Amino acid sequence: MKKLIVANWKMYLNRKNSIGFLRNIQYSILNIQLIICPSFDVLAEIAKNKPWGVEIGAQDCFWEKRGAFTGEVSPADLKEIGCQYVIIGHSERRHYLEETDKMINKKLKAAIEAGLIPIFCVGEMAAERKKGAAVKRVREQLKKGLAGLSLSASQQIIFAYEPVWAIGTGNFCPVAEAVKMHRLLKKEAMRILKRREIKVLYGGSVGEKNVLEYLNQPEIDGVLVGSASAKIESFKSILCSIQSFL
Ligand code: PGA
């Protein structure tokens, strides 16, 4: 199975740099699946002009299809402009925008209904890990996020284990610990969704130096890369190291 590389550009790049970025990437890696998640302002343009083989995701969506919801973006509209994926429940939205598990649950359902594949992010805070409550928190996020959600055979959801303390800090999660959390997450998500297979990505300070360590683990189906995916040179180095070793 191909490993997934999700590039979450967050709000790092303006329009010119986003467009220029993709022109600069020689995408010749056939043994991975590459998903780029630009910001909303360039999403349609990038979805229209994306290089062959690259897939596009949004960084968020709203839970309603249409209506008086100022500033929100409908999952149906994302699908229409060529998005296949949408990140939901990212810790930056949970913390800066105070998104709750309940809101995330509604977004997951709406995204799936619109035909998108959600990339559902979960992960504990440093304080929760410190007091030994990491597993409890991730279980709770899964339970609440997936409440009442059932998938048809053709519908999909991808998970991302993103410990909050590892995001943007350079303090990445030791691989053995990430593997442990992935096993738990897979088991739990498979049980809740009654699925035999579930993809789980790792995210949090992934860069060229550690990406292969994660990708070489059978439990880790791919990586979600933030800041290192928004700098041309570092992203190229990540792709290069994957190309030469996978
Ligand atoms: P980072 O972000 O790679 O900058 O740590 C990861 C993420 O936010 O998904």
Side-chain angles (χ1 to χ4, degrees), residues 133-193:
V135 168
K136 185 169 168 252
R137 179 62 187 130
V138 167
R139 274 213 175 106
E140 183 186 41
Q141 286 172 331
L142 279 183
K143 189 174 164 220
K144 291 185 176 168
L146 298 176
L149 197 149
S150 62
L151 297 179
S152 70
S154 62
Q155 291 170 328
Q156 270 192 66
I157 172 164
I158 295 170
F159 294 82
Y161 171 58
E162 297 214 305
V164 181
W165 47 272
I167 296 180
T169 58
N171 184 20
F172 55 89
C173 183
V175 174
E177 187 52 30
V179 166
K180 203 175 113 194
M181 294 302 281
H182 276 236
R183 280 198 191 122
L184 167 110
L185 225 153
K186 278 195 186 204
K187 201 171 149 208
E188 205 64 14
M190 287 195 295
R191 186 186 59 78
I192 298 173
L193 294 172

Side-chain angles (χ1 to χ4, degrees), residues 6 8 10 12 87 90-92 121 162 166-170 203-207 224-229:
V6 180
N8 175 13
K10 308 193 182 192
Y12 282 122
I87 297 173
H90 191 281
S91 75
E92 282 148 18
C121 302
E162 297 214 305
I167 296 180
T169 58
S205 297
V206 173
L224 205 165
V225 192
S227 65
S229 76

Side-chain angles (χ1 to χ4, degrees), residues 4-7 201-203 206 211 214-215 220-225 242:
L4 254 73
I5 312 295
V6 180
L201 317 177
Y202 167 76
V206 173
V211 65
Y214 293 111
L215 294 184
I220 299 183
D221 300 300
V223 286
L224 205 165
V225 192
I242 296 172

